[in-house]
Amino acid sequence: MNVMPKNSMVQPEYSGAAKKALARKPSLFINNEWVESTTGKTVDVIDPSTGKIVSQIADASDQEIDRAVAAARQAFDDGRWTGLPPIAREQMIHKLADLITDHAEELAELEAIDNGKNAAVAKGMDIPASAGMLHYMAGWATKVSGSQIDPMASPSGAFHAYVRKEPIGVAAQIVPWNFPLIMATGKIAPALAAGCTIVLKPAEQTSLTALRLADFVEQAGFPPGVINVVTGLGETAGARLSTHPDVDKVAFTGSTEVGKIINRAATDSLKRVTLELGGKSPVVVMPDVDVEEVSAGAAGAIFFNAGQICVAGSRLFAHKSVFDKVVEGVAKHADDWAPGPSLCPEYRMGPLVSDEQQKRVMGFIESGKNEGASIVKGGDSPSDQGYFVNPTIMVDVNPNMKVVREEIFGPVLVAQRFDDIDEVAKAANDTLYGLGASVWTKDLSTMHRLAAKIKSGSVWGNCHSMIDPALPFGGYKQSGIGREHSSTGVEAYMETKSVIIAL
Ligand code: NAI
Ligand code: MG
C-alpha cells in the first residue's frame, strides 16, 4: 500500500521575519550580550524539507563555553537572581512566556525551517506548550517552601529545626532537536523557578528558536548571566559544558548513548544529573475498543512529529481478535500523515530532521525487511529532495528483531498480536526502555491492572503522549534518571538543607 502525497512537494518562500532571523551573524548569548566565536567556526543550518543550507550558527569553542559558565557562576554567586524577590522572578518568567506568545507566528516558522515540523502544527502545539511550561513553572518561584520538623528524640521545644530548599547553582542544560523550543523552555523554566542560573545548549541541528529566545531574555528583564545560550557540536561544546567543574547540575534530553556518557562523566565530580532519554513505547489495544477511533489514535501516537518523539507509540500490541482490523485501520490513517514540506499547511507531517536521521531510519526499515518483517504500508520516501520518510507499518515481527528492540525515532510502527493481559504486560516490558505506554480499552479493571503492570514513567489510557507541565514526566530503566515537570521537576534543581538549632 503506497502513501498518497497530498499536493505540492515544493517548500514555499520564507517570510521576511524568518529571513531576518536566518541572516543573524553566528553568535552566542553570554551575559546578555551577543558574542562571536573566537575561532569563527560555524555549523550549517539546513532546511530538512529541501536539504539546502539556509544559515549558520556558531560552533562554540572551549573558551566560549568557559566564558558562558563563568557568566552563570558569577550571576549565581553574587545573588543577582536569587536575591530578587520571588514575585519579581515569577513576573519575569511570565514575561518571557508572553514574548514567546507574541512571536508565535515567527517562532513556528523558524521551527518548521529548522526541524522540518509543520509550521501550523508548531504554531498550534509547540509554541503554546513552550509558553505554557514557562507560565506553569513561573508560579513555583513564589511557592517553593521548606518545612518545620520536631526532632524525634528530643523534648518538644528543645530545638528549632527546619528544612530549607535552596537552588543547586549553575545548571548546564543540553537539549535535542525534536522539539527545539519546547525542550529549551522545558529545561530553563523549572531551573529559573528554583533560582538556578543557566547555560543552555540547543542541538546543533536546531538552534534557531533558542537563539530567538535569547533575544527575549533581555527584553523580559533577566539580569546578565542568568540565562546564557551557547550553540555548537555535542561532542565538543556539549562535552565541555557537561563536564565543566563550575557546573553544579546537568540536565540532558537526548539519546541513551549520550545520556550514559554524561552520567559517567558526572560520577567523578558528583554533579547532579537528570536524564530524559530514549523510548520504545507500547500501545496496547484490547478487544473491546472502537477500532476506528483507536486506529486514528495509534496512527497519531507513532506518526506525530514524524515519529521523532521520545514517547512515540512505536510498538503496537493488538489483541489477536482485532489485530487485522487495527492494522488495517492504522494503515488507512497513515494517509492522513503523508509527509510534505514544512511550510505547506496541508501536511501534518514533515521530513525527518536531517540526512543522518533519514539514513538511520531507512537503515532500520532495511534491517526489518532483512530479518523477515513484512511492510504493509510505506517503507520508502516520497521525494529525492529533503529528508522525507513515508509512514511505515511492519508486521510479522518477533521480539528479537532490531526494529522491535531499538528506538527508531522515525515514522515506523511494528505491530504484534497478543492473547491475554499478562502476556501483553510481559511483552510491553520486554525492553530496555520505560518512558511511556498507552492502553486502549473501555474496561476500567483492565485499564488499571495494566497501568500498574507496565514499567514506564507515564501510562496513558485511551490517549497517547498526554504530556503536561503539572504531571511528573520521565523514565524507568534506560529511559532516564529523575522526573521533570510538576513540583518534582522544580525539586530537581534544589538542594535540601536541614537546620537544627538548640534553643
Ligand atoms: P544526541 O543525544 O547525540 O543529541 C542530543 C543533544 O546532546 C544535542 O544537543 C547534542 O549536541 C548533545 N550531545 C551529543 N553528544 C554529546 C556529548 N558527548 N556530550 C554532551 N552533549 C552531547 O542525539 P542524536 O545523535 O541527535 O540522535 C541520535 C538518536 O538519539 C536518535 O535517533 C534518537 O533515537 C535518540 N534521540 C532521543 C531523543 C529524546 O527525546 N529522547 C531526542 C533526540 C535523539
Ligand atoms: Mg549524537
Side-chain angles (χ1 to χ4, degrees), residues 396-457:
D396 303 329
V397 295
N398 69 58
N400 301 317
M401 288 181 182
K402 206 168 123 109
V403 285
V404 176
R405 304 216 70 80
E406 295 182 23
E407 179 174 58
I408 298 177
F409 228 62
V412 182
L413 180 67
V414 294
Q416 294 164 273
R417 299 178 164 74
F418 70 91
D419 211 350
D420 63 64
I421 78 161
D422 288 328
E423 179 198 345
V424 76
K426 205 162 159 238
N429 289 334
D430 180 18
T431 168
L432 293 174
Y433 297 112
L435 198 56
S438 60
V439 177
W440 302 73
T441 178
K442 291 180 182 135
D443 184 281
L444 273 180
S445 165
T446 303
M447 180 70 82
H448 291 296
R449 279 162 67 205
L450 276 172
K453 279 175 190 284
I454 295 175
K455 293 186 171 63
S456 81

Side-chain angles (χ1 to χ4, degrees), residues 172-189:
Q173 305 189 314
I174 300 176
V175 296
W177 41 259
N178 52 344
F179 291 90
L181 192 63
I182 288 182
M183 291 287 163
T185 51
K187 285 283 182 283
I188 67 169

Side-chain angles (χ1 to χ4, degrees), residues 177 204-205 234-235 255 257-258 356 360:
W177 41 259
E204 53 269 43
Q205 298 87 346
E235 301 73 38
S255 61
E257 186 194 348
V258 174
E356 185 191 1
R360 189 180 285 149

